[in-house]
Amino acid sequence: MAVPATLWIYLMAVYLSGSNGQMVQMDAIKSGYVGSQVELHCLFINNNPAVKISQVTWQKFLNGTKQNVAIANPTMGVSVLNPFKERVSFKLPAVQEKIPSLEDTTIVFSNLQLSDEAAYICEYTTFPAGNRENMVNLTVFARPMIQMIQTALTIVAQPSSPKVSVATCLAANGKPPGVVTWETTLKGEPRTEEIPHSNGTVTVRSDYLVIPSREMHKQKLTCVVTYNNDTTIDTIMLNVQYKPEVKIVGFDGNWYLNRPDKLGLTCKTEANPPVTHFEWKLLNGSMPAGVEILNNTLSLKGPVTYDLAGTYVCHATNSIGTSSGQVEVNVTELPYIPNDRVSQERHNSGLIIGGAAGGIVVLLVALIILFVILRRRQRTFKGDYSTKKHVYGNGYSKPGGLSAHPTLPKNLPYGEDSDDEKKTSQMGGTGLYERSDRVFDDDDLKRPYFTVDESESHEYEERSLAYPYDHEVEITDDMVSQTDGSVISKKEWYV
Ligand SMILES: *[C@@H]1O[C@H](CO)[C@@H](O)[C@H](O)[C@H]1NC(C)=O
Ligand SMILES: *[C@@H]1O[C@H](CO)[C@@H](O)[C@H](O)[C@H]1NC(C)=O
Ligand SMILES: *[C@@H]1O[C@H](CO)[C@@H](O)[C@H](O)[C@H]1NC(C)=O
Ligand SMILES: *[C@@H]1O[C@H](CO)[C@@H](O)[C@H](O)[C@H]1NC(C)=O
Ligand SMILES: *[C@@H]1O[C@H](CO)[C@@H](O)[C@H](O)[C@H]1NC(C)=O
Ligand SMILES: *[C@@H]1O[C@H](CO)[C@@H](O)[C@H](O)[C@H]1NC(C)=O
Ligand SMILES: *[C@@H]1O[C@H](CO)[C@@H](O)[C@H](O)[C@H]1NC(C)=O
């Protein structure tokens, strides 16, 4: 903005020097930050040597009233008036040293204050031409103080509570006001208000409102303040406090008399802050002698006895509250062998679905496969047949990868509709293979397979899905055809 104004003044000066004129050259606008220093230029352009400067007066012009700031006189010298004495001076030493060369009476304003914002007039009194003057408008900026405050967030009751502020971002005493925005993946909304002050500054206060939930714990929230050309960023990680979530793991539903394994229960908790106190109880009874309790673990000192049966309760406490979980432990005389395992063993032990019956089953399965394949061909494949064609011979294998499981059947991964759907949805953008009729991804190849023989210990997990606490283990059994035409059962662990 200053450039065109200067250009205009220059052109005027050229024009005036052509005629017999004088003019005062100044910037139209000038700005500076509170506390900084700014120069207010004032040049006298005179093409007539006969015109003499009698005096130069700087005035502050505000609200229609003028106030003298500084005066330069060719004979009397310079004078800066109160309250500007400390902060205003003429730029050129020539003026201070009383040398009567007053063509440049630029003043330097230091330690700018908000109250300095005004128009400043530079007036030349000449003889015999009379007065010439010009004006500069001075704007004073105040950089806002930026501060982010995290509001303590405690979740005692479950959601459904009203929106609360999780953080406050302040851009205080800015002139012009700072602009506050938020960046986060949290679902919420800002509430922003501007508070004006009498000195012309504005405090912008923005709160980020959310419906509190336990999932917000450790999520990031960034406040972005833009002021003039500067951007200030402040990020916090939310700390949401909640009472423990409790789950007892370790009972697999198969505690039989004298079972040899090292058995016990563990009270698994999720809490913020962490659990400080655990308490175990047996519902409607006292703790049996055969157990040893250490904080969140309860372990059997000896073999399994009927005494151990009962409902075990774990109370976990942190500073927010106490929660409990429970498990009903029953003790049987003999190990429990699940039905499906029996049938698996039958399948496995000899693949004895021989003879005519076996032939019919194989034929039926083949027909079902064909039916599924035809349907799948119509609806599932979304890849590019021409670029990723990958035809399998006898099943598939990855060198080394599967050799660790010598008992591994040559699985051809087809399955029931639901199972297949799941696999299709698991495909990311990674390599899609097409095995003549069906699409599956690399994960299918890498996924570990366990045969029934080696899963003696896994069968317990199968019956109690609560057991593997950290990883959700899903087990499906499929009938799988062999290249030799027989049928085998397979187990898959999706981890
Ligand atoms: C200028 O005028 C405004 C109202 O128009 C008033 O509030 C303010 O105090 C005045 N400032 C000075 C320095 O007189
Ligand atoms: C400077 O301020 C005066 C009065 O405050 C106003 O009339 C004028 O338009 C302003 N000039 C510019 C260039 O902003
Ligand atoms: C303006 O006023 C506010 C509120 O009174 C004050 O906090 C702030 O420091 C002032 N700013 C300046 C630059 O004087
Ligand atoms: C913003 O930046 C541009 C270019 O860097 C500069 O010309 C301009 O004066 C700046 N504005 C402010 C208010 O600082
Ligand atoms: C266990 O005790 C509670 C009270 O402590 C009682 O309400 C409940 O009926 C009892 N259950 C059994 C199975 O005895
Ligand atoms: C068990 O809790 C006590 C305090 O109650 C603590 O000092 C101890 O370190 C805890 N032990 C374990 C193994 O966590
Ligand atoms: C033992 O408990 C498990 C689960 O807690 C249950 O499935 C099973 O039926 C119970 N067995 C007996 C004999 O009560």
Side-chain angles (χ1 to χ4, degrees), residues 251 253-259 263 288 300 303-310 312 328-335:
F251 180 62
N254 195 13
W255 285 15
Y256 53 89
L257 289 184
N258 300 315
R259 182 170 162 187
L263 295 171
L300 303 196
V304 175
T305 61
Y306 283 124
D307 288 349
L308 295 170
Y312 290 81
E328 195 187 325
V329 169
N330 52 31
V331 174
T332 52
E333 187 187 350
L334 296 169

Side-chain angles (χ1 to χ4, degrees), residues 6-217:
T6 315
L7 189 64
W8 182 83
I9 289 162
Y10 173 76
L11 290 174
M12 272 300 284
V14 170
Y15 166 78
L16 283 172
S17 54
S19 62
N20 282 341
Q22 300 80 35
M23 66 163 293
V24 177
Q25 182 183 315
M26 293 176 82
D27 295 318
I29 53 166
K30 199 84 191 184
S31 63
Y33 286 91
V34 168
S36 73
Q37 177 174 302
V38 71
E39 284 182 7
L40 302 182
H41 297 282
C42 185
L43 298 177
F44 187 66
I45 313 288
N46 180 21
N47 67 336
N48 184 353
V51 173
K52 297 288 178 231
I53 298 166
S54 319
Q55 183 161 297
V56 183
T57 309
W58 274 94
Q59 288 176 308
K60 179 179 180 178
F61 180 63
L62 185 65
N63 273 5
T65 48
K66 289 179 182 174
Q67 177 185 13
N68 283 346
V69 175
I71 297 166
N73 187 290
T75 51
M76 308 292 281
V78 298
S79 159
V80 180
L81 292 96
N82 276 326
F84 303 99
K85 217 166 187 153
E86 303 298 317
R87 299 187 294 121
V88 173
S89 60
F90 284 93
K91 188 186 181 188
L92 291 187
V95 176
Q96 281 160 350
E97 288 162 16
K98 301 185 187 182
I99 296 167
S101 159
L102 296 172
E103 272 69 31
D104 183 349
T105 52
T106 296
I107 54 171
V108 179
F109 231 119
S110 58
N111 189 18
L112 271 187
Q113 305 297 307
L114 284 168
S115 56
D116 294 332
E117 182 164 305
Y120 288 87
I121 297 165
C122 181
E123 183 191 61
Y124 275 78
T125 307
T126 65
F127 187 88
N131 288 357
R132 299 285 185 278
E133 66 172 44
N134 209 336
M135 188 164 75
V136 60
N137 287 4
L138 175 63
T139 305
V140 181
F141 295 137
R143 216 178 276 283
M145 304 272 294
I146 293 158
Q147 196 186 3
M148 177 120 144
I149 304 157
Q150 182 171 1
T151 319
L153 188 56
T154 299
I155 298 181
V156 181
Q158 279 308 299
S160 77
S161 36
K163 289 192 171 175
V164 298
S165 167
V166 282
T168 303
C169 196
L170 282 177
N173 307 322
K175 182 174 172 296
V179 177
V180 178
T181 54
W182 295 89
E183 283 174 11
T184 182
T185 53
L186 287 177
K187 281 209 178 93
E189 63 193 30
R191 182 187 57 200
T192 305
E193 60 176 329
E194 295 198 348
I195 305 148
H197 302 296
S198 57
N199 60 15
T201 62
V202 175
T203 292
V204 179
R205 177 200 166 103
S206 184
D207 287 290
Y208 199 79
L209 306 178
V210 296
I211 294 171
S213 82
R214 131 117 178 64
E215 287 67 40
M216 288 175 183
H217 187 46

Side-chain angles (χ1 to χ4, degrees), residues 399-462:
L402 298 176
S403 58
H405 303 283
T407 52
L408 184 83
K410 285 170 181 159
N411 294 306
L412 300 182
Y414 60 84
E416 295 153 16
D417 271 1
S418 60
D419 191 20
D420 219 7
E421 221 76 78
K422 219 173 293 158
K423 285 175 185 166
T424 311
S425 69
Q426 280 173 354
M427 288 176 207
T430 56
L432 297 179
Y433 294 89
E434 191 233 335
R435 192 190 127 269
S436 71
D437 51 34
R438 189 193 168 274
V439 189
F440 55 96
D441 62 352
D442 280 337
D443 287 346
D444 281 318
L445 304 177
K446 289 175 200 143
R447 187 171 293 130
Y449 288 86
F450 297 86
T451 59
V452 173
D453 296 331
E454 54 182 289
S455 68
E456 180 69 25
S457 60
H458 293 297
E459 67 186 84
Y460 302 125
E461 295 174 358
E462 186 181 311

Side-chain angles (χ1 to χ4, degrees), residues 349-370:
S349 59
L351 302 168
I352 13 173
I353 315 167
I360 288 163
V361 170
V362 170
L363 195 64
L364 271 175
V365 169
L367 282 172
I368 290 166
I369 294 163
L370 196 65

